[in-house]
Amino acid sequence: MENTETIKSIGKEALKDFEKVSSYQEVENFRIKYLGRKGILSNLFDKLKELPKEEKPQFGKELNLLKKELEEKYELLRQKFPKPKEFELKDDLTLPGIKPRIGSKHIVTKTLDEIKEIFKSFGFVIAEGPELETDYYNFSALNFPEDHPARDMQDTFFVEDRYVLRTHTSPIQIHALESEPLPLRVIGTGPVFRCDHDISHLPHFHQLEALFVDKKVSMADLKGTISYFVRSFFEKELKVRFRPSYFPFTEPSAEVDCQCPICHGKGCTLCKGSGWIEIGGCGLVNPRVFEQVKIDPQSWQGFAFGFGIERMAMILYRIDDIRLFPENDPRFLRQFERLTL
């Protein structure tokens, strides 16, 4: 009986509130008080769960009748006091939001990150080194003779007699050989500097070099590693070929070409009709380099290869002028936004 009286009392109170409503805001107050998620009816339905079994049927029946009555009264109030225009939302909140433009990775950074992930996937670790190097690390330790053209001021930025802005990332290999235990798999990355500036060269660009040292290393290991990288980077089955070349720090040495990723060797404007694109240089580590860092070349062997990050990006994204990279023109960079987010 007590519970039934409670429902009747709430019904009388709701009727008085119903008769007092005179605006849209009061309609909302009526709904919240009686029909809201934390309103009076909601609390009564929670109380229903706690009642004895014999009282639940009668209480539930009367509670549902009260709910139906209050919903009907609320509907009458809605029709009598419709929502004023100032309460209407001008924006559709169901529409997806507009993503603010906050920039994206530079295409060179994106390319470098992708390359790093490929090499990390088969055991290489990432290393960096100083951009201002001594003559020893940049040249002497890498078996560059005193009269080598690379030591000419027309090719190298000399800071002082003993210091240069590194012309390649190969000095990182010497730092790694001096400080890391063998066997060794390391990738050296970062900016390099040369006195050169035209449609295909920059005075400041980025390189990546790989060094692998173990007990038994051959040109077959080198070619297999590069072939795997090329397939992973271009996401295509492309052939790789070596052409004999010369580098002071490797012996034998080779230039690395891969099949053009656009025409697959048939010939196009990107590969200038040859079907092949040069991507870098490689070779087995010269024994004299091991001797410089006091490693026995009879016990240890290794291979090294390297390439320019900007060049790899140019091939992958068909960019024909390397000077576009440092200009940071938003019109150029925006073309790669979807690729870099």
Side-chain angles (χ1 to χ4, degrees):
M1 290 294 294
E2 181 181 350
N3 293 323
T4 302
E5 291 299 323
T6 300
I7 292 177
K8 290 180 179 180
S9 175
I10 293 172
K12 292 178 182 179
E13 182 183 354
L15 180 60
K16 291 179 182 179
D17 289 340
F18 171 78
E19 293 172 347
K20 293 178 182 178
V21 172
S22 60
S23 68
Y24 169 76
Q25 187 59 60
E26 290 179 358
V27 173
E28 281 300 290
N29 293 340
F30 180 88
R31 179 189 65 80
I32 293 170
K33 179 177 179 180
Y34 293 101
L35 302 171
R37 286 185 299 174
K38 296 183 179 180
I40 292 174
L41 284 183
S42 179
N43 292 332
L44 288 175
F45 275 107
D46 289 339
K47 185 178 179 181
L48 177 64
K49 302 173 187 176
E50 302 170 0
L51 293 177
K53 289 183 179 180
E54 60 274 13
E55 296 183 23
K56 283 184 179 181
Q58 183 62 29
F59 185 80
K61 178 181 178 181
E62 295 186 13
L63 187 54
N64 280 314
L65 289 173
L66 177 62
K67 180 182 178 183
K68 182 179 179 182
E69 180 184 351
L70 293 180
E71 286 176 343
E72 290 174 350
K73 291 186 181 301
Y74 170 63
E75 191 61 35
L76 291 173
L77 291 174
R78 281 186 60 209
Q79 296 174 11
K80 187 176 181 180
F81 303 101
K83 183 187 294 186
K85 289 185 178 180
E86 59 265 26
F87 285 90
E88 294 180 0
L89 293 173
K90 296 181 180 180
D91 297 321
D92 186 352
L93 299 183
T94 64
L95 292 174
I98 299 174
K99 190 172 185 178
R101 183 181 294 279
I102 56 174
S104 58
K105 285 184 179 180
H106 193 283
I107 192 66
V108 172
T109 303
K110 170 182 164 54
T111 303
L112 180 57
D113 288 346
E114 291 176 352
I115 292 172
K116 285 180 179 179
E117 288 304 312
I118 293 171
F119 282 108
K120 285 163 64 175
S121 71
F122 57 103
F124 283 82
V125 296
I126 309 301
E128 296 181 349
E131 296 173 22
L132 182 65
E133 279 288 7
T134 63
D135 179 279
Y136 170 77
Y137 283 103
N138 200 74
F139 295 124
S140 300
L142 292 163
N143 196 38
F144 281 86
E146 291 290 335
D147 58 351
H148 193 280
R151 292 176 179 261
D152 194 293
M153 291 186 66
Q154 299 302 313
D155 189 65
T156 301
F157 290 103
F158 281 86
V159 180
E160 293 179 357
D161 290 341
R162 293 179 54 250
Y163 292 96
V164 300
L165 293 178
R166 67 182 181 193
T167 58
H168 47 186
T169 48
S170 300
I172 296 176
Q173 299 179 16
I174 303 300
H175 289 294
L177 289 170
E178 288 181 339
S179 60
E180 301 295 331
L182 302 180
L184 179 65
R185 297 184 188 185
V186 65
I187 294 291
T189 69
V192 297
F193 309 86
R194 295 181 188 176
C195 300
D196 209 350
H197 193 201
D198 56 40
I199 193 171
S200 57
H201 299 87
L202 291 174
H204 168 261
F205 57 103
H206 300 78
Q207 276 190 344
L208 180 143
E209 293 203 26
L211 173 66
F212 178 84
V213 180
D214 212 322
K215 291 291 186 179
K216 292 183 179 181
V217 179
S218 68
M219 290 291 283
D221 299 315
L222 172 59
K223 191 170 185 180
T225 302
I226 295 177
S227 297
Y228 176 83
F229 163 72
V230 168
R231 289 196 305 271
S232 301
F233 182 71
F234 292 108
E235 297 182 343
K236 296 178 180 178
E237 287 292 333
L238 300 174
K239 293 181 181 179
V240 170
R241 73 179 184 185
F242 287 175
R243 288 179 289 109
S245 186
Y246 167 76
F247 301 108
F249 39 87
T250 54
E251 181 60 39
S253 303
E255 300 286 354
V256 184
D257 299 335
C258 76
Q259 271 186 319
C260 177
I262 306 303
C263 66
H264 288 262
K266 295 178 181 178
C268 65
T269 54
L270 180 65
C271 61
K272 299 177 181 178
S274 69
W276 296 88
I277 295 180
E278 180 183 331
I279 60 172
C282 69
L284 297 184
V285 178
N286 195 313
R288 292 186 179 181
V289 173
F290 283 139
E291 291 171 356
Q292 285 284 348
V293 292
K294 298 179 174 55
I295 292 175
D296 182 8
Q298 300 299 320
S299 302
W300 296 95
Q301 298 170 323
F303 66 68
F305 62 89
F307 41 79
I309 303 302
E310 282 84 352
R311 178 162 179 77
M312 298 301 290
M314 290 176 73
I315 296 171
L316 185 62
Y317 299 108
R318 307 187 204 182
I319 299 168
D320 58 6
D321 191 336
I322 197 172
R323 292 172 295 188
L324 292 168
F325 290 116
E327 288 178 357
N328 287 323
D329 188 327
R331 293 170 298 178
F332 168 70
L333 298 177
R334 203 168 292 137
Q335 298 176 60
F336 308 101
E337 267 191 347
R338 286 196 301 170
L339 300 171
T340 56
L341 287 177

